[in-house]
Amino acid sequence: MNKNMATILKAEQYNIVNIKWDTDGDEELFASLPQEIDLPLQFASVAENEDYLDEISDWLSDEYGYCNNGFSVQVR
């Protein structure tokens, strides 16, 4: 793999989508929370590894102050 190809692969972006925020049925609060988020680069290299989904979930809760009941990670 040449250097340019390695740079492109490292720079690939992921999104967190379909976030099921746990708002106890508060639809206004749910609507105020993001439904799609750029995955922080600290997780980008492991985005497809299920072992890191718990870490991503914890980050979401810490960052936005609400738990979630699941989400998807997709290549942008």
mmCIF file with all atom_site columns, all heavy atoms in Angstrom, residues 31-57:
data_model
loop_
_atom_site.group_PDB
_atom_site.id
_atom_site.type_symbol
_atom_site.label_atom_id
_atom_site.label_alt_id
_atom_site.label_comp_id
_atom_site.label_asym_id
_atom_site.label_entity_id
_atom_site.label_seq_id
_atom_site.pdbx_PDB_ins_code
_atom_site.Cartn_x
_atom_site.Cartn_y
_atom_site.Cartn_z
_atom_site.occupancy
_atom_site.B_iso_or_equiv
_atom_site.pdbx_formal_charge
_atom_site.auth_seq_id
_atom_site.auth_comp_id
_atom_site.auth_asym_id
_atom_site.auth_atom_id
_atom_site.pdbx_PDB_model_num
ATOM 1   N N   . ALA A 1 31 ? -36.505 15.310 19.833 1.00 0.00 ? 31 ALA A N   1
ATOM 2   C CA  . ALA A 1 31 ? -36.313 16.099 18.615 1.00 0.00 ? 31 ALA A CA  1
ATOM 3   C C   . ALA A 1 31 ? -35.152 17.087 18.759 1.00 0.00 ? 31 ALA A C   1
ATOM 4   O O   . ALA A 1 31 ? -34.556 17.475 17.762 1.00 0.00 ? 31 ALA A O   1
ATOM 5   C CB  . ALA A 1 31 ? -37.597 16.840 18.258 1.00 0.00 ? 31 ALA A CB  1
ATOM 6   N N   . SER A 1 32 ? -34.838 17.481 19.981 1.00 0.00 ? 32 SER A N   1
ATOM 7   C CA  . SER A 1 32 ? -33.759 18.446 20.185 1.00 0.00 ? 32 SER A CA  1
ATOM 8   C C   . SER A 1 32 ? -32.371 17.794 20.173 1.00 0.00 ? 32 SER A C   1
ATOM 9   O O   . SER A 1 32 ? -31.368 18.488 20.068 1.00 0.00 ? 32 SER A O   1
ATOM 10  C CB  . SER A 1 32 ? -33.953 19.192 21.506 1.00 0.00 ? 32 SER A CB  1
ATOM 11  O OG  . SER A 1 32 ? -33.675 18.358 22.614 1.00 0.00 ? 32 SER A OG  1
ATOM 12  N N   . LEU A 1 33 ? -32.318 16.486 20.291 1.00 0.00 ? 33 LEU A N   1
ATOM 13  C CA  . LEU A 1 33 ? -31.039 15.772 20.294 1.00 0.00 ? 33 LEU A CA  1
ATOM 14  C C   . LEU A 1 33 ? -30.639 15.408 18.867 1.00 0.00 ? 33 LEU A C   1
ATOM 15  O O   . LEU A 1 33 ? -31.496 15.149 18.022 1.00 0.00 ? 33 LEU A O   1
ATOM 16  C CB  . LEU A 1 33 ? -31.143 14.513 21.162 1.00 0.00 ? 33 LEU A CB  1
ATOM 17  C CG  . LEU A 1 33 ? -31.317 14.779 22.648 1.00 0.00 ? 33 LEU A CG  1
ATOM 18  C CD1 . LEU A 1 33 ? -31.753 13.511 23.370 1.00 0.00 ? 33 LEU A CD1 1
ATOM 19  C CD2 . LEU A 1 33 ? -30.039 15.327 23.254 1.00 0.00 ? 33 LEU A CD2 1
ATOM 20  N N   . PRO A 1 34 ? -29.343 15.358 18.582 1.00 0.00 ? 34 PRO A N   1
ATOM 21  C CA  . PRO A 1 34 ? -28.909 15.050 17.212 1.00 0.00 ? 34 PRO A CA  1
ATOM 22  C C   . PRO A 1 34 ? -29.278 13.625 16.813 1.00 0.00 ? 34 PRO A C   1
ATOM 23  O O   . PRO A 1 34 ? -29.243 12.707 17.626 1.00 0.00 ? 34 PRO A O   1
ATOM 24  C CB  . PRO A 1 34 ? -27.389 15.232 17.267 1.00 0.00 ? 34 PRO A CB  1
ATOM 25  C CG  . PRO A 1 34 ? -27.030 15.095 18.697 1.00 0.00 ? 34 PRO A CG  1
ATOM 26  C CD  . PRO A 1 34 ? -28.216 15.551 19.491 1.00 0.00 ? 34 PRO A CD  1
ATOM 27  N N   . GLN A 1 35 ? -29.628 13.472 15.551 1.00 0.00 ? 35 GLN A N   1
ATOM 28  C CA  . GLN A 1 35 ? -29.972 12.155 15.015 1.00 0.00 ? 35 GLN A CA  1
ATOM 29  C C   . GLN A 1 35 ? -28.819 11.557 14.213 1.00 0.00 ? 35 GLN A C   1
ATOM 30  O O   . GLN A 1 35 ? -28.823 10.379 13.896 1.00 0.00 ? 35 GLN A O   1
ATOM 31  C CB  . GLN A 1 35 ? -31.224 12.255 14.135 1.00 0.00 ? 35 GLN A CB  1
ATOM 32  C CG  . GLN A 1 35 ? -32.425 12.821 14.870 1.00 0.00 ? 35 GLN A CG  1
ATOM 33  C CD  . GLN A 1 35 ? -32.780 12.042 16.119 1.00 0.00 ? 35 GLN A CD  1
ATOM 34  O OE1 . GLN A 1 35 ? -32.958 10.827 16.071 1.00 0.00 ? 35 GLN A OE1 1
ATOM 35  N NE2 . GLN A 1 35 ? -32.874 12.717 17.251 1.00 0.00 ? 35 GLN A NE2 1
ATOM 36  N N   . GLU A 1 36 ? -27.838 12.405 13.903 1.00 0.00 ? 36 GLU A N   1
ATOM 37  C CA  . GLU A 1 36 ? -26.650 11.970 13.163 1.00 0.00 ? 36 GLU A CA  1
ATOM 38  C C   . GLU A 1 36 ? -25.465 12.772 13.666 1.00 0.00 ? 36 GLU A C   1
ATOM 39  O O   . GLU A 1 36 ? -25.548 13.989 13.816 1.00 0.00 ? 36 GLU A O   1
ATOM 40  C CB  . GLU A 1 36 ? -26.856 12.201 11.672 1.00 0.00 ? 36 GLU A CB  1
ATOM 41  C CG  . GLU A 1 36 ? -25.720 11.715 10.820 1.00 0.00 ? 36 GLU A CG  1
ATOM 42  C CD  . GLU A 1 36 ? -26.028 11.812 9.345  1.00 0.00 ? 36 GLU A CD  1
ATOM 43  O OE1 . GLU A 1 36 ? -27.121 11.402 8.918  1.00 0.00 ? 36 GLU A OE1 1
ATOM 44  O OE2 . GLU A 1 36 ? -25.151 12.307 8.611  1.00 0.00 ? 36 GLU A OE2 1
ATOM 45  N N   . ILE A 1 37 ? -24.362 12.090 13.938 1.00 0.00 ? 37 ILE A N   1
ATOM 46  C CA  . ILE A 1 37 ? -23.179 12.731 14.504 1.00 0.00 ? 37 ILE A CA  1
ATOM 47  C C   . ILE A 1 37 ? -21.945 12.182 13.800 1.00 0.00 ? 37 ILE A C   1
ATOM 48  O O   . ILE A 1 37 ? -21.852 10.977 13.551 1.00 0.00 ? 37 ILE A O   1
ATOM 49  C CB  . ILE A 1 37 ? -23.065 12.428 16.017 1.00 0.00 ? 37 ILE A CB  1
ATOM 50  C CG1 . ILE A 1 37 ? -24.307 12.920 16.760 1.00 0.00 ? 37 ILE A CG1 1
ATOM 51  C CG2 . ILE A 1 37 ? -21.800 13.033 16.607 1.00 0.00 ? 37 ILE A CG2 1
ATOM 52  C CD1 . ILE A 1 37 ? -24.404 12.394 18.176 1.00 0.00 ? 37 ILE A CD1 1
ATOM 53  N N   . ASP A 1 38 ? -21.000 13.047 13.504 1.00 0.00 ? 38 ASP A N   1
ATOM 54  C CA  . ASP A 1 38 ? -19.709 12.581 13.001 1.00 0.00 ? 38 ASP A CA  1
ATOM 55  C C   . ASP A 1 38 ? -19.003 11.849 14.137 1.00 0.00 ? 38 ASP A C   1
ATOM 56  O O   . ASP A 1 38 ? -18.900 12.373 15.247 1.00 0.00 ? 38 ASP A O   1
ATOM 57  C CB  . ASP A 1 38 ? -18.842 13.744 12.534 1.00 0.00 ? 38 ASP A CB  1
ATOM 58  C CG  . ASP A 1 38 ? -19.380 14.412 11.285 1.00 0.00 ? 38 ASP A CG  1
ATOM 59  O OD1 . ASP A 1 38 ? -20.137 13.763 10.537 1.00 0.00 ? 38 ASP A OD1 1
ATOM 60  O OD2 . ASP A 1 38 ? -19.048 15.584 11.060 1.00 0.00 ? 38 ASP A OD2 1
ATOM 61  N N   . LEU A 1 39 ? -18.551 10.662 13.859 1.00 0.00 ? 39 LEU A N   1
ATOM 62  C CA  . LEU A 1 39 ? -17.837 9.885  14.873 1.00 0.00 ? 39 LEU A CA  1
ATOM 63  C C   . LEU A 1 39 ? -16.504 10.545 15.167 1.00 0.00 ? 39 LEU A C   1
ATOM 64  O O   . LEU A 1 39 ? -15.748 10.862 14.243 1.00 0.00 ? 39 LEU A O   1
ATOM 65  C CB  . LEU A 1 39 ? -17.620 8.462  14.357 1.00 0.00 ? 39 LEU A CB  1
ATOM 66  C CG  . LEU A 1 39 ? -17.071 7.451  15.346 1.00 0.00 ? 39 LEU A CG  1
ATOM 67  C CD1 . LEU A 1 39 ? -18.070 7.202  16.475 1.00 0.00 ? 39 LEU A CD1 1
ATOM 68  C CD2 . LEU A 1 39 ? -16.758 6.149  14.643 1.00 0.00 ? 39 LEU A CD2 1
ATOM 69  N N   . PRO A 1 40 ? -16.192 10.793 16.434 1.00 0.00 ? 40 PRO A N   1
ATOM 70  C CA  . PRO A 1 40 ? -14.892 11.390 16.760 1.00 0.00 ? 40 PRO A CA  1
ATOM 71  C C   . PRO A 1 40 ? -13.749 10.521 16.221 1.00 0.00 ? 40 PRO A C   1
ATOM 72  O O   . PRO A 1 40 ? -13.847 9.294  16.200 1.00 0.00 ? 40 PRO A O   1
ATOM 73  C CB  . PRO A 1 40 ? -14.877 11.403 18.291 1.00 0.00 ? 40 PRO A CB  1
ATOM 74  C CG  . PRO A 1 40 ? -16.305 11.385 18.691 1.00 0.00 ? 40 PRO A CG  1
ATOM 75  C CD  . PRO A 1 40 ? -16.999 10.557 17.629 1.00 0.00 ? 40 PRO A CD  1
ATOM 76  N N   . LEU A 1 41 ? -12.686 11.158 15.816 1.00 0.00 ? 41 LEU A N   1
ATOM 77  C CA  . LEU A 1 41 ? -11.571 10.438 15.206 1.00 0.00 ? 41 LEU A CA  1
ATOM 78  C C   . LEU A 1 41 ? -10.982 9.379  16.130 1.00 0.00 ? 41 LEU A C   1
ATOM 79  O O   . LEU A 1 41 ? -10.422 8.400  15.666 1.00 0.00 ? 41 LEU A O   1
ATOM 80  C CB  . LEU A 1 41 ? -10.493 11.409 14.755 1.00 0.00 ? 41 LEU A CB  1
ATOM 81  C CG  . LEU A 1 41 ? -10.887 12.288 13.573 1.00 0.00 ? 41 LEU A CG  1
ATOM 82  C CD1 . LEU A 1 41 ? -9.760  13.261 13.235 1.00 0.00 ? 41 LEU A CD1 1
ATOM 83  C CD2 . LEU A 1 41 ? -11.248 11.450 12.363 1.00 0.00 ? 41 LEU A CD2 1
ATOM 84  N N   . GLN A 1 42 ? -11.124 9.539  17.435 1.00 0.00 ? 42 GLN A N   1
ATOM 85  C CA  . GLN A 1 42 ? -10.594 8.531  18.360 1.00 0.00 ? 42 GLN A CA  1
ATOM 86  C C   . GLN A 1 42 ? -11.237 7.157  18.138 1.00 0.00 ? 42 GLN A C   1
ATOM 87  O O   . GLN A 1 42 ? -10.677 6.147  18.514 1.00 0.00 ? 42 GLN A O   1
ATOM 88  C CB  . GLN A 1 42 ? -10.805 8.969  19.808 1.00 0.00 ? 42 GLN A CB  1
ATOM 89  C CG  . GLN A 1 42 ? -12.264 8.934  20.245 1.00 0.00 ? 42 GLN A CG  1
ATOM 90  C CD  . GLN A 1 42 ? -12.529 9.706  21.500 1.00 0.00 ? 42 GLN A CD  1
ATOM 91  O OE1 . GLN A 1 42 ? -12.239 10.883 21.578 1.00 0.00 ? 42 GLN A OE1 1
ATOM 92  N NE2 . GLN A 1 42 ? -13.076 9.057  22.483 1.00 0.00 ? 42 GLN A NE2 1
ATOM 93  N N   . PHE A 1 43 ? -12.427 7.122  17.525 1.00 0.00 ? 43 PHE A N   1
ATOM 94  C CA  . PHE A 1 43 ? -13.113 5.855  17.264 1.00 0.00 ? 43 PHE A CA  1
ATOM 95  C C   . PHE A 1 43 ? -13.063 5.431  15.801 1.00 0.00 ? 43 PHE A C   1
ATOM 96  O O   . PHE A 1 43 ? -13.457 4.317  15.476 1.00 0.00 ? 43 PHE A O   1
ATOM 97  C CB  . PHE A 1 43 ? -14.593 5.961  17.656 1.00 0.00 ? 43 PHE A CB  1
ATOM 98  C CG  . PHE A 1 43 ? -14.821 6.224  19.105 1.00 0.00 ? 43 PHE A CG  1
ATOM 99  C CD1 . PHE A 1 43 ? -15.331 7.438  19.531 1.00 0.00 ? 43 PHE A CD1 1
ATOM 100 C CD2 . PHE A 1 43 ? -14.532 5.263  20.058 1.00 0.00 ? 43 PHE A CD2 1
ATOM 101 C CE1 . PHE A 1 43 ? -15.562 7.688  20.874 1.00 0.00 ? 43 PHE A CE1 1
ATOM 102 C CE2 . PHE A 1 43 ? -14.753 5.505  21.396 1.00 0.00 ? 43 PHE A CE2 1
ATOM 103 C CZ  . PHE A 1 43 ? -15.268 6.715  21.809 1.00 0.00 ? 43 PHE A CZ  1
ATOM 104 N N   . ALA A 1 44 ? -12.625 6.281  14.899 1.00 0.00 ? 44 ALA A N   1
ATOM 105 C CA  . ALA A 1 44 ? -12.742 6.027  13.463 1.00 0.00 ? 44 ALA A CA  1
ATOM 106 C C   . ALA A 1 44 ? -12.089 4.724  13.024 1.00 0.00 ? 44 ALA A C   1
ATOM 107 O O   . ALA A 1 44 ? -12.620 4.011  12.196 1.00 0.00 ? 44 ALA A O   1
ATOM 108 C CB  . ALA A 1 44 ? -12.168 7.193  12.665 1.00 0.00 ? 44 ALA A CB  1
ATOM 109 N N   . SER A 1 45 ? -10.944 4.369  13.591 1.00 0.00 ? 45 SER A N   1
ATOM 110 C CA  . SER A 1 45 ? -10.249 3.173  13.137 1.00 0.00 ? 45 SER A CA  1
ATOM 111 C C   . SER A 1 45 ? -10.892 1.897  13.657 1.00 0.00 ? 45 SER A C   1
ATOM 112 O O   . SER A 1 45 ? -10.571 0.806  13.204 1.00 0.00 ? 45 SER A O   1
ATOM 113 C CB  . SER A 1 45 ? -8.783  3.220  13.563 1.00 0.00 ? 45 SER A CB  1
ATOM 114 O OG  . SER A 1 45 ? -8.684  3.199  14.974 1.00 0.00 ? 45 SER A OG  1
ATOM 115 N N   . VAL A 1 46 ? -11.821 2.019  14.587 1.00 0.00 ? 46 VAL A N   1
ATOM 116 C CA  . VAL A 1 46 ? -12.452 0.829  15.172 1.00 0.00 ? 46 VAL A CA  1
ATOM 117 C C   . VAL A 1 46 ? -13.963 0.830  14.987 1.00 0.00 ? 46 VAL A C   1
ATOM 118 O O   . VAL A 1 46 ? -14.660 0.043  15.588 1.00 0.00 ? 46 VAL A O   1
ATOM 119 C CB  . VAL A 1 46 ? -12.127 0.723  16.686 1.00 0.00 ? 46 VAL A CB  1
ATOM 120 C CG1 . VAL A 1 46 ? -10.641 0.527  16.889 1.00 0.00 ? 46 VAL A CG1 1
ATOM 121 C CG2 . VAL A 1 46 ? -12.634 1.924  17.445 1.00 0.00 ? 46 VAL A CG2 1
ATOM 122 N N   . ALA A 1 47 ? -14.473 1.683  14.115 1.00 0.00 ? 47 ALA A N   1
ATOM 123 C CA  . ALA A 1 47 ? -15.910 1.889  13.996 1.00 0.00 ? 47 ALA A CA  1
ATOM 124 C C   . ALA A 1 47 ? -16.680 0.635  13.619 1.00 0.00 ? 47 ALA A C   1
ATOM 125 O O   . ALA A 1 47 ? -17.848 0.506  13.950 1.00 0.00 ? 47 ALA A O   1
ATOM 126 C CB  . ALA A 1 47 ? -16.194 2.998  12.992 1.00 0.00 ? 47 ALA A CB  1
ATOM 127 N N   . GLU A 1 48 ? -16.042 -0.297 12.943 1.00 0.00 ? 48 GLU A N   1
ATOM 128 C CA  . GLU A 1 48 ? -16.750 -1.495 12.521 1.00 0.00 ? 48 GLU A CA  1
ATOM 129 C C   . GLU A 1 48 ? -16.533 -2.662 13.477 1.00 0.00 ? 48 GLU A C   1
ATOM 130 O O   . GLU A 1 48 ? -16.999 -3.761 13.238 1.00 0.00 ? 48 GLU A O   1
ATOM 131 C CB  . GLU A 1 48 ? -16.317 -1.863 11.103 1.00 0.00 ? 48 GLU A CB  1
ATOM 132 C CG  . GLU A 1 48 ? -16.729 -0.804 10.092 1.00 0.00 ? 48 GLU A CG  1
ATOM 133 C CD  . GLU A 1 48 ? -16.186 -1.072 8.717  1.00 0.00 ? 48 GLU A CD  1
ATOM 134 O OE1 . GLU A 1 48 ? -15.293 -1.921 8.579  1.00 0.00 ? 48 GLU A OE1 1
ATOM 135 O OE2 . GLU A 1 48 ? -16.662 -0.426 7.778  1.00 0.00 ? 48 GLU A OE2 1
ATOM 136 N N   . ASN A 1 49 ? -15.866 -2.433 14.573 1.00 0.00 ? 49 ASN A N   1
ATOM 137 C CA  . ASN A 1 49 ? -15.574 -3.477 15.546 1.00 0.00 ? 49 ASN A CA  1
ATOM 138 C C   . ASN A 1 49 ? -16.606 -3.420 16.661 1.00 0.00 ? 49 ASN A C   1
ATOM 139 O O   . ASN A 1 49 ? -16.701 -2.441 17.385 1.00 0.00 ? 49 ASN A O   1
ATOM 140 C CB  . ASN A 1 49 ? -14.164 -3.258 16.106 1.00 0.00 ? 49 ASN A CB  1
ATOM 141 C CG  . ASN A 1 49 ? -13.731 -4.343 17.049 1.00 0.00 ? 49 ASN A CG  1
ATOM 142 O OD1 . ASN A 1 49 ? -14.540 -5.048 17.632 1.00 0.00 ? 49 ASN A OD1 1
ATOM 143 N ND2 . ASN A 1 49 ? -12.437 -4.463 17.218 1.00 0.00 ? 49 ASN A ND2 1
ATOM 144 N N   . GLU A 1 50 ? -17.408 -4.475 16.814 1.00 0.00 ? 50 GLU A N   1
ATOM 145 C CA  . GLU A 1 50 ? -18.492 -4.484 17.793 1.00 0.00 ? 50 GLU A CA  1
ATOM 146 C C   . GLU A 1 50 ? -18.010 -4.289 19.220 1.00 0.00 ? 50 GLU A C   1
ATOM 147 O O   . GLU A 1 50 ? -18.751 -3.813 20.066 1.00 0.00 ? 50 GLU A O   1
ATOM 148 C CB  . GLU A 1 50 ? -19.309 -5.769 17.670 1.00 0.00 ? 50 GLU A CB  1
ATOM 149 C CG  . GLU A 1 50 ? -20.157 -5.793 16.424 1.00 0.00 ? 50 GLU A CG  1
ATOM 150 C CD  . GLU A 1 50 ? -21.088 -6.986 16.383 1.00 0.00 ? 50 GLU A CD  1
ATOM 151 O OE1 . GLU A 1 50 ? -21.422 -7.519 17.459 1.00 0.00 ? 50 GLU A OE1 1
ATOM 152 O OE2 . GLU A 1 50 ? -21.476 -7.368 15.277 1.00 0.00 ? 50 GLU A OE2 1
ATOM 153 N N   . ASP A 1 51 ? -16.769 -4.637 19.504 1.00 0.00 ? 51 ASP A N   1
ATOM 154 C CA  . ASP A 1 51 ? -16.246 -4.469 20.861 1.00 0.00 ? 51 ASP A CA  1
ATOM 155 C C   . ASP A 1 51 ? -16.218 -3.007 21.281 1.00 0.00 ? 51 ASP A C   1
ATOM 156 O O   . ASP A 1 51 ? -16.225 -2.699 22.470 1.00 0.00 ? 51 ASP A O   1
ATOM 157 C CB  . ASP A 1 51 ? -14.836 -5.053 20.980 1.00 0.00 ? 51 ASP A CB  1
ATOM 158 C CG  . ASP A 1 51 ? -14.826 -6.559 20.824 1.00 0.00 ? 51 ASP A CG  1
ATOM 159 O OD1 . ASP A 1 51 ? -15.884 -7.194 21.028 1.00 0.00 ? 51 ASP A OD1 1
ATOM 160 O OD2 . ASP A 1 51 ? -13.761 -7.102 20.502 1.00 0.00 ? 51 ASP A OD2 1
ATOM 161 N N   . TYR A 1 52 ? -16.198 -2.098 20.328 1.00 0.00 ? 52 TYR A N   1
ATOM 162 C CA  . TYR A 1 52 ? -16.105 -0.678 20.645 1.00 0.00 ? 52 TYR A CA  1
ATOM 163 C C   . TYR A 1 52 ? -17.465 0.013  20.670 1.00 0.00 ? 52 TYR A C   1
ATOM 164 O O   . TYR A 1 52 ? -17.545 1.192  20.998 1.00 0.00 ? 52 TYR A O   1
ATOM 165 C CB  . TYR A 1 52 ? -15.165 0.023  19.670 1.00 0.00 ? 52 TYR A CB  1
ATOM 166 C CG  . TYR A 1 52 ? -13.731 -0.351 19.936 1.00 0.00 ? 52 TYR A CG  1
ATOM 167 C CD1 . TYR A 1 52 ? -13.158 -1.469 19.331 1.00 0.00 ? 52 TYR A CD1 1
ATOM 168 C CD2 . TYR A 1 52 ? -12.971 0.383  20.830 1.00 0.00 ? 52 TYR A CD2 1
ATOM 169 C CE1 . TYR A 1 52 ? -11.855 -1.831 19.601 1.00 0.00 ? 52 TYR A CE1 1
ATOM 170 C CE2 . TYR A 1 52 ? -11.663 0.026  21.105 1.00 0.00 ? 52 TYR A CE2 1
ATOM 171 C CZ  . TYR A 1 52 ? -11.109 -1.076 20.481 1.00 0.00 ? 52 TYR A CZ  1
ATOM 172 O OH  . TYR A 1 52 ? -9.817  -1.438 20.758 1.00 0.00 ? 52 TYR A OH  1
ATOM 173 N N   . LEU A 1 53 ? -18.541 -0.690 20.362 1.00 0.00 ? 53 LEU A N   1
ATOM 174 C CA  . LEU A 1 53 ? -19.854 -0.062 20.372 1.00 0.00 ? 53 LEU A CA  1
ATOM 175 C C   . LEU A 1 53 ? -20.234 0.423  21.764 1.00 0.00 ? 53 LEU A C   1
ATOM 176 O O   . LEU A 1 53 ? -20.849 1.481  21.909 1.00 0.00 ? 53 LEU A O   1
ATOM 177 C CB  . LEU A 1 53 ? -20.915 -1.014 19.813 1.00 0.00 ? 53 LEU A CB  1
ATOM 178 C CG  . LEU A 1 53 ? -20.771 -1.351 18.330 1.00 0.00 ? 53 LEU A CG  1
ATOM 179 C CD1 . LEU A 1 53 ? -21.862 -2.322 17.899 1.00 0.00 ? 53 LEU A CD1 1
ATOM 180 C CD2 . LEU A 1 53 ? -20.785 -0.100 17.474 1.00 0.00 ? 53 LEU A CD2 1
ATOM 181 N N   . ASP A 1 54 ? -19.854 -0.323 22.803 1.00 0.00 ? 54 ASP A N   1
ATOM 182 C CA  . ASP A 1 54 ? -20.129 0.128  24.167 1.00 0.00 ? 54 ASP A CA  1
ATOM 183 C C   . ASP A 1 54 ? -19.373 1.411  24.482 1.00 0.00 ? 54 ASP A C   1
ATOM 184 O O   . ASP A 1 54 ? -19.913 2.308  25.138 1.00 0.00 ? 54 ASP A O   1
ATOM 185 C CB  . ASP A 1 54 ? -19.766 -0.954 25.192 1.00 0.00 ? 54 ASP A CB  1
ATOM 186 C CG  . ASP A 1 54 ? -20.752 -2.100 25.208 1.00 0.00 ? 54 ASP A CG  1
ATOM 187 O OD1 . ASP A 1 54 ? -21.907 -1.913 24.763 1.00 0.00 ? 54 ASP A OD1 1
ATOM 188 O OD2 . ASP A 1 54 ? -20.367 -3.195 25.676 1.00 0.00 ? 54 ASP A OD2 1
ATOM 189 N N   . GLU A 1 55 ? -18.141 1.513  24.030 1.00 0.00 ? 55 GLU A N   1
ATOM 190 C CA  . GLU A 1 55 ? -17.361 2.734  24.258 1.00 0.00 ? 55 GLU A CA  1
ATOM 191 C C   . GLU A 1 55 ? -17.976 3.924  23.534 1.00 0.00 ? 55 GLU A C   1
ATOM 192 O O   . GLU A 1 55 ? -18.033 5.033  24.071 1.00 0.00 ? 55 GLU A O   1
ATOM 193 C CB  . GLU A 1 55 ? -15.915 2.545  23.819 1.00 0.00 ? 55 GLU A CB  1
ATOM 194 C CG  . GLU A 1 55 ? -15.125 1.656  24.748 1.00 0.00 ? 55 GLU A CG  1
ATOM 195 C CD  . GLU A 1 55 ? -13.660 1.580  24.361 1.00 0.00 ? 55 GLU A CD  1
ATOM 196 O OE1 . GLU A 1 55 ? -13.093 2.621  23.972 1.00 0.00 ? 55 GLU A OE1 1
ATOM 197 O OE2 . GLU A 1 55 ? -13.104 0.483  24.445 1.00 0.00 ? 55 GLU A OE2 1
ATOM 198 N N   . ILE A 1 56 ? -18.440 3.696  22.314 1.00 0.00 ? 56 ILE A N   1
ATOM 199 C CA  . ILE A 1 56 ? -19.101 4.762  21.559 1.00 0.00 ? 56 ILE A CA  1
ATOM 200 C C   . ILE A 1 56 ? -20.392 5.162  22.266 1.00 0.00 ? 56 ILE A C   1
ATOM 201 O O   . ILE A 1 56 ? -20.700 6.344  22.410 1.00 0.00 ? 56 ILE A O   1
ATOM 202 C CB  . ILE A 1 56 ? -19.357 4.329  20.103 1.00 0.00 ? 56 ILE A CB  1
ATOM 203 C CG1 . ILE A 1 56 ? -18.033 4.130  19.373 1.00 0.00 ? 56 ILE A CG1 1
ATOM 204 C CG2 . ILE A 1 56 ? -20.228 5.355  19.383 1.00 0.00 ? 56 ILE A CG2 1
ATOM 205 C CD1 . ILE A 1 56 ? -18.156 3.464  18.019 1.00 0.00 ? 56 ILE A CD1 1
ATOM 206 N N   . SER A 1 57 ? -21.152 4.193  22.744 1.00 0.00 ? 57 SER A N   1
ATOM 207 C CA  . SER A 1 57 ? -22.389 4.473  23.470 1.00 0.00 ? 57 SER A CA  1
ATOM 208 C C   . SER A 1 57 ? -22.119 5.296  24.723 1.00 0.00 ? 57 SER A C   1
ATOM 209 O O   . SER A 1 57 ? -22.835 6.263  25.016 1.00 0.00 ? 57 SER A O   1
ATOM 210 C CB  . SER A 1 57 ? -23.092 3.158  23.829 1.00 0.00 ? 57 SER A CB  1
ATOM 211 O OG  . SER A 1 57 ? -24.300 3.409  24.507 1.00 0.00 ? 57 SER A OG  1
#
